[in-house]
């Protein structure tokens, strides 16, 4: 009885506030849904990081201490919940670093909602520490790939760890198929490691052992160089999975971040066989020599290349972009017998929606904005459409599109402001009519963090640090 009375007492002012808010415009509303994204909280690589499921958009990101956090937005009720801390990242540092080079950023979460509505995150890995044991498919790194699941379906309030994936992963990516099977793709260690997947047929309660698809190895001609890869996976047409990737010559001495070329292949999930765009069956795992011969989309020579995303049209033909050239991405598509020559589209990073073989839209971050670009002639020419967010003092870092997105929530982005002297970022959920707003009270989640920060560490010179970090974010992380 007492408990009931208490509930009623609390509910009455809440209802009154809601009515007042409805009546008096959107005072107290902000464009961001939280301000506690940390360092590089989101990226296109670890994906999906958000999914629309049964009326709600669930979003996962890297928050304080590089730990995984989750928020949810109920589209009908226009109500946010979270952030909720969902786990512990072993690579997190205390106190909060203020130097953008210090956070690792590789352990930011990828997210999927399973067939029963449970929300899964995989995070915390950068190849796995040496003490975790022998890594048969690569070389040790840092952290530990960790899997958590919500205790209840469609509810982000409580989480539990499931010890059922290899600890050696990084760049974790989920692909969910129409039959409910879920594939977890990742690099099995630090740079000099294979890319693999683990398959689950029971909503991520168990996973089959890792299967290698891209092979790392020492170059025969130069033992100082290992062949290594950066790859991006997504559901293709029907029961297929697309893989697009770039090559990294990983030098033992004189290491650089250089990456080149672009490649494509796809898996037929029915028998887990792979083929190239011409539908020639491939022998896996793919080596550098084999990829050059069978899966090459573009040879960039001495010009650098970085991964983008890959989506397919109704015919199953892939449309891809790679980050090649300064301030632009390059778009490619399979014409049925050859790759269409590359076309540059201004922007830094993002993702795309393939409406038909001729009509494609890209949502790209770049400069101080995030905007749609559209082609209606199969990618030969592109026009800029609406911008979903822009600010003269800030840059934005894109993530992959929200899985199964509601038009009101297409992509989560982080804001990077060059003038600030800390690494906390505001996060936005961008929909067709701009950011999804939230009462400031719910979006303000830093508490005393900034005050504490100033007490323990001197602030870096704001302009230099901000500018440097913004550039770094557009290029992606250090990827060690
Ligand atoms: Zn390397």
């Amino acid at each position: 009885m007492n408990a009931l009375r208490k509930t009623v007492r609390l509910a009455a002012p809440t209802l009154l506030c809601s009515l007042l808010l409805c009546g008096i415009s959107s005072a107290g509303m902000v464009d961001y849904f939280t301000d506690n994204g940390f360092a590089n909280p989101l990226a296109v690589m670890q994906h999906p990081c958000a999914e629309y499921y049964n009326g709600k958009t669930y979003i996962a990101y890297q928050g304080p201490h590089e730990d995984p956090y989750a928020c949810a937005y109920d589209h009908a009720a226009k109500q946010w919940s979270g952030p909720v801390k969902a786990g512990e990242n072993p690579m997190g540092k205390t106190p909060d670093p203020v130097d953008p080079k210090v956070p690792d950023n590789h352990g930011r979460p990828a997210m999927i909602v399973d067939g029963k509505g449970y929300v899964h995150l995989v995070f915390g890995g950068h190849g796995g520490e040496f003490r975790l044991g022998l890594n048969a498919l690569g070389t040790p790194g840092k952290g530990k790939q960790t899997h958590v699941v919500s205790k209840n379906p469609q509810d982000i309030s409580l989480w539990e760890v499931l010890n059922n994936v290899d600890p050696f992963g990084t760049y974790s990516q989920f692909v969910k198929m129409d039959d409910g099977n879920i594939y977890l793709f990742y690099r099995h260690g630090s740079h000099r490691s294979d890319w693999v997947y683990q398959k689950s047929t029971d909503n991520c309660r168990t996973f089959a052992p890792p299967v290698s698809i891209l092979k790392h190895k020492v170059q025969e001609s130069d033992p100082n160089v290992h062949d290594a890869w950066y790859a991006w996976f997504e559901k293709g047409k029907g029961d297929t999975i697309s893989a697009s990737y770039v090559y990294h010559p990983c030098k033992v001495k004189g290491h650089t971040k250089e990456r080149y070329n672009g490649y494509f292949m796809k898996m037929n999930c029915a028998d887990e066989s792979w083929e190239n765009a011409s539908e020639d069956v491939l022998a896996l795992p793919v080596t550098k020599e084999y990829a050059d011969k069978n899966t090459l989309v573009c040879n960039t020579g001495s010009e650098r290349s970085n991964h983008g995303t890959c989506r397919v049209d109704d015919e199953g033909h892939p449309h891809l972009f790679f980050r090649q050239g300064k301030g632009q991405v390059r778009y490619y598509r399979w014409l049925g017998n050859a790759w269409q020559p590359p076309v540059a589209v201004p922007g830094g990073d993002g993702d795309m929606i393939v409406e038909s073989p001729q009509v494609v839209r890209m949502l790209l971050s770049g400069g101080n904005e995030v905007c749609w670009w559209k082609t209606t002639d199969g990618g030969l020419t592109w026009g800029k459409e609406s911008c979903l967010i822009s600010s003269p003092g800030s840059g934005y870092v894109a993530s992959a599109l929200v899985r199964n997105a509601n038009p009101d929530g297409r992509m989560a982005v982080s804001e990077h402001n060059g003038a600030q002297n800390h690494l906390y970022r505001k996060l936005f959920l961008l929909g067709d009519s701009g950011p999804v707003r939230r009462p400031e009270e719910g979006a303000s989640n830093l508490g005393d963090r900034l005050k504490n920060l100033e007490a323990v560490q001197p602030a870096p010179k704001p302009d230099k640090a901000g500018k440097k970090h913004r550039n770094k974010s557009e290029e992606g992380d250090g990827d060690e």
Side-chain angles (χ1 to χ4, degrees), residues 191-192 230 248-251 255-256:
H191 286 204
R192 298 191 281 278
Y230 289 87
H248 168 52
C250 186
K251 293 173 184 165
H255 188 266
T256 68

Side-chain angles (χ1 to χ4, degrees), residues 354-398:
V354 179
E355 293 178 5
S356 74
Q358 299 295 314
V359 180
V360 183
R361 298 161 75 209
M362 287 201 212
L363 186 54
L364 297 177
S365 63
N368 302 113
E369 55 193 25
V370 179
C371 305
W372 286 111
W373 290 80
K374 185 178 183 181
T375 178
T376 55
D377 59 8
L380 298 176
T381 59
W382 292 80
K384 191 177 187 179
E385 294 203 301
S386 57
C387 291
L388 300 185
I389 194 167
S390 67
S391 166
S394 301
Y396 298 92
V397 174

Side-chain angles (χ1 to χ4, degrees), residues 233-436:
F233 302 89
E234 181 57 277
K235 185 181 176 298
K237 189 186 175 188
D239 204 19
T240 69
I241 293 174
S242 302
S244 58
Y245 46 103
V246 297
Y247 171 68
H248 168 52
C250 186
K251 293 173 184 165
V252 179
K253 279 184 193 159
H255 188 266
T256 68
K257 292 173 184 170
E258 61 201 298
R259 300 162 204 187
Y260 301 102
N261 302 348
Y263 303 84
F264 168 85
M265 62 186 184
K266 67 177 174 185
M267 177 161 76
N268 299 299
C269 295
D271 59 2
E272 297 182 36
S273 64
W274 289 79
E275 59 188 54
N276 62 14
S278 308
E279 301 183 343
D280 304 320
V281 176
L282 301 173
L284 275 280
V286 164
T287 62
K288 169 67 163 54
E289 293 77 10
Y290 191 84
D292 284 345
K293 208 173 155 191
N294 294 288
T295 69
L296 192 69
V297 177
C298 50
N299 180 344
T300 60
S302 60
E303 188 190 25
R304 291 198 185 192
S305 175
N306 209 337
H307 70 87
T309 74
C310 173
R311 308 261 176 193
V312 300
D313 60 33
D314 289 343
E315 292 163 25
H317 292 164
H319 298 239
L320 313 96
F321 75 84
F322 295 101
R323 287 176 286 154
Q324 297 166 344
K326 201 172 164 58
Q328 61 173 46
V329 303
R330 281 190 204 136
Y331 166 86
Y332 299 80
R333 77 176 173 117
W334 179 249
L335 297 171
N337 54 4
W339 292 100
Q340 179 168 285
V343 176
V345 185
D349 201 0
D351 200 351
M352 63 184 150
I353 296 174
V354 179
E355 293 178 5
S356 74
Q358 299 295 314
V359 180
V360 183
R361 298 161 75 209
M362 287 201 212
L363 186 54
L364 297 177
S365 63
N368 302 113
E369 55 193 25
V370 179
C371 305
W372 286 111
W373 290 80
K374 185 178 183 181
T375 178
T376 55
D377 59 8
L380 298 176
T381 59
W382 292 80
K384 191 177 187 179
E385 294 203 301
S386 57
C387 291
L388 300 185
I389 194 167
S390 67
S391 166
S394 301
Y396 298 92
V397 174
S399 62
L401 289 169
V402 174
R403 187 178 190 278
N404 188 37
N406 179 299
D408 288 335
R410 299 278 193 184
M411 180 185 278
V413 302
S414 56
E415 182 185 71
H416 295 248
N417 183 327
Q420 71 181 39
N421 61 358
H422 58 85
L423 300 180
Y424 281 99
R425 318 292 180 196
K426 287 175 180 157
L427 303 183
F428 301 78
L429 175 62
L430 304 180
D432 287 354
S433 46
V436 178

Side-chain angles (χ1 to χ4, degrees), residues 169-187:
T170 189
Y171 300 119
S172 317
Q173 304 171 36
F174 281 115
V175 182
K176 183 177 157 189
M177 309 308 292
D178 295 336
D179 60 7
N181 289 346
I182 294 173
Y183 293 80
L184 177 65
F185 287 86
Y186 56 88
R187 192 179 69 194

